[in-house]
Amino acid sequence: MQDSPLKDLRTTNTLLLIIVIPLVFYLLKILSFIFIPLIFSMFIALLFLPLMRWFNKKNLPKTISIFIIFLIIAGVLKVGIELIQLSSREILSAENDFFQKAESKIISMIISVEELFGVQILQGENLLGDILEKDSSFKNVGSILGFVKNTVSMTLMTAFFAILWLAESINFQKLLNSTILRKEFASVKAFMKIEKDLITFIKVKFIVSLFTGIGISLACVFFGVSFPIFWGLFAFVINFVQMIGSFVSVILLAIFAFVEMDASSTLFFFILSITGVQALFGGVLEPVFMGKSFSINIITILVMLMLWGYIWGVPGLIMSIPLTVFFKIILEQFPRTRVIADLISGPKKKPPRLPKRLRQVGKKTYLTVDKENTNTTF
């Protein structure tokens, strides 16, 4: 009879949890205009926290330290804007022969599809005229203006929250201590692990994406594919989306090369080279540099990509893995949720169990090496 109140309490807590979790995700989706810049700014602040501590040791005022950090961020953004402008000038200065060749090849492919399935897709000979109508062009201009407006507002909010994080107006460690962990030592330990793992993730992801973009650009230059700067920049940006980004860049660039180039061994070796670049940096070097902290199984990665992509769109796809690592570290701090953290993690190698003979007390201990009568004395 004494266990029934405890069972009722556990059942009530489970039902409340089932109700609260969808409500939390719904609020995250509705209030995405606040949470996206807040989380982005937290990652930026965590990346520059070691530099802030170094400035603090040098007795540099906090205002000057934050100003220096924002100068660094502004310099990085300026380089990115210059690359975008360079790639746009590269596309705009392309000769009309390329666009005519691409249009004629696409038309021939559509005609072959029409003959195969017996349907009519084109309404005339001008493909660009069918795709880019006047009404749709005005709609595209409006959508571009809306995208620019949202990007500017998100950037300003991210900068505002980053100032609060760096100035310690929002103290992440104290926030953990007062809301989730409620233990000083546990909150400090969790914060140090979160900071270390997220800094490692951002650094490794940036370096791997940078070299992936450079490799894609060099492959385009070597095989004579148009717009190498644009494709390198695109591969660099899309590579921040875990797993999906590398597939998207390879597939889109392969389709573009197929439209531009003739089907030959050159096209085959080009697709093979860009696939090799993605496999080398994304499949080999990135897991090595990430280490054991990011051992997350593939099913969890795919589920988190779909979940955060549905909630926050492209920013959610970019932040899905850091958020998963964050929740995994929090779940590891509690004995009841440690099982969930183990499920999120990748397969772990169990240490070999010592034989019973090593546990015996005596002057000598014998260890059997194989099935034969071979013994080793310790």
Side-chain angles (χ1 to χ4, degrees):
M1 296 296 292
Q2 294 179 355
D3 294 336
S4 59
L6 291 175
K7 290 182 179 179
D8 294 339
L9 182 61
R10 289 175 182 174
T11 305
T12 304
N13 291 335
T14 304
L15 291 174
L16 286 175
L17 192 64
I18 293 173
I19 296 172
V20 166
I21 288 178
L23 181 61
V24 169
F25 284 117
Y26 177 74
L27 291 175
L28 287 173
K29 185 175 179 62
I30 295 298
L31 301 176
S32 60
F33 64 94
I34 294 176
F35 284 106
I36 291 175
L38 181 64
I39 301 300
F40 261 129
S41 62
M42 184 185 72
F43 291 158
I44 293 172
L46 285 174
L47 185 62
F48 287 99
L49 268 182
L51 186 59
M52 284 290 293
R53 295 194 191 103
W54 186 79
F55 286 149
N56 191 22
K57 289 181 181 178
K58 299 297 181 181
N59 296 322
L60 198 67
K62 190 172 291 186
T63 306
I64 299 176
S65 302
I66 295 174
F67 180 73
I68 293 173
I69 288 174
F70 269 87
L71 284 180
I72 296 172
I73 296 173
V76 173
L77 290 176
K78 182 175 175 56
V79 173
I81 292 171
E82 290 291 335
L83 286 174
I84 293 172
Q85 291 177 350
L86 187 62
S87 62
S88 61
R89 286 196 297 267
E90 180 186 42
I91 295 173
L92 293 175
S93 63
E95 297 180 357
N96 293 327
D97 295 339
F98 163 75
F99 296 102
Q100 293 175 359
K101 181 181 178 181
E103 183 178 354
S104 62
K105 195 162 188 178
I106 293 173
I107 289 174
S108 63
M109 290 173 61
I110 293 176
I111 290 174
S112 62
V113 171
E114 289 178 348
E115 293 176 353
L116 180 64
F117 293 99
V119 295
Q120 186 175 2
I121 300 174
L122 291 177
Q123 301 294 329
E125 298 180 353
N126 190 1
L127 178 65
L128 295 179
D130 294 333
I131 297 175
L132 300 176
E133 297 177 354
K134 292 183 179 180
D135 295 334
S136 63
S137 64
F138 283 115
K139 292 179 182 178
N140 291 332
V141 170
S143 62
I144 291 172
L145 291 177
F147 174 76
V148 171
K149 180 183 176 182
N150 293 331
T151 304
V152 171
S153 62
M154 286 287 184
T155 304
L156 293 176
M157 290 183 67
T158 303
F160 173 73
F161 284 126
I163 292 173
L164 294 181
W165 288 112
L166 292 172
E168 295 184 354
S169 298
I170 305 176
N171 194 309
F172 185 67
Q173 186 265 320
K174 291 182 180 178
L175 193 64
L176 277 178
N177 186 28
S178 60
T179 55
I180 301 176
L181 300 178
R182 298 186 180 277
K183 291 182 181 179
E184 186 72 24
F185 177 75
S187 61
V188 172
K189 181 181 176 182
F191 174 74
M192 291 175 64
K193 185 168 177 55
I194 290 169
E195 179 185 344
K196 178 185 175 183
D197 288 352
L198 290 181
I199 288 175
T200 302
F201 176 82
I202 294 171
K203 286 181 178 178
V204 172
K205 200 66 182 176
F206 179 83
I207 293 172
V208 169
S209 301
L210 178 64
F211 280 102
T212 301
I214 293 173
I216 294 294
S217 295
L218 292 177
C220 291
V221 171
F222 182 78
F223 287 95
V225 178
S226 301
F227 316 135
I229 299 175
F230 168 77
W231 287 113
L233 187 62
F234 177 78
F236 168 76
V237 174
I238 200 68
N239 199 60
F240 280 92
V241 180
Q242 197 75 12
M243 292 183 64
I244 297 177
S246 57
F247 286 106
V248 170
S249 61
V250 170
I251 290 171
L252 290 181
L253 186 52
I255 294 172
F256 179 83
F258 177 75
V259 172
E260 184 183 19
M261 303 166 64
D262 295 328
S264 61
S265 59
T266 305
L267 176 63
F268 172 76
F269 283 112
F270 172 71
I271 297 175
L272 189 65
S273 64
I274 60 176
T275 306
V277 168
Q278 290 285 0
L280 174 63
F281 291 106
V284 178
L285 296 180
E286 184 176 339
V288 171
F289 291 135
M290 287 294 185
K292 297 180 180 179
S293 301
F294 293 89
S295 57
I296 302 174
N297 61 63
I298 298 176
I299 296 176
T300 304
I301 291 175
L302 293 176
V303 170
M304 290 297 108
L305 282 171
M306 290 186 290
L307 176 64
W308 293 109
Y310 171 74
I311 294 174
W312 288 344
V314 176
L317 292 175
I318 295 173
M319 295 187 291
S320 61
I321 302 304
L323 287 171
T324 305
V325 173
F326 169 79
F327 288 120
K328 176 186 149 187
I329 294 171
I330 297 298
L331 293 172
E332 288 174 348
Q333 308 305 315
F334 302 97
R336 292 182 179 179
T337 57
R338 209 164 287 162
V339 179
I340 303 175
D342 293 336
L343 290 174
I344 293 174
S345 303
K348 297 180 180 179
K349 293 182 179 180
K350 295 182 179 180
R353 298 180 64 182
L354 295 176
K356 294 182 179 179
R357 292 183 182 180
L358 288 178
R359 300 190 187 109
Q360 295 177 355
V361 180
K363 294 182 180 180
K364 293 183 179 180
T365 305
Y366 294 91
L367 172 64
T368 302
V369 178
D370 52 18
K371 294 182 181 180
E372 299 178 359
N373 295 326
T374 305
N375 296 332
T376 305
T377 306
F378 285 85

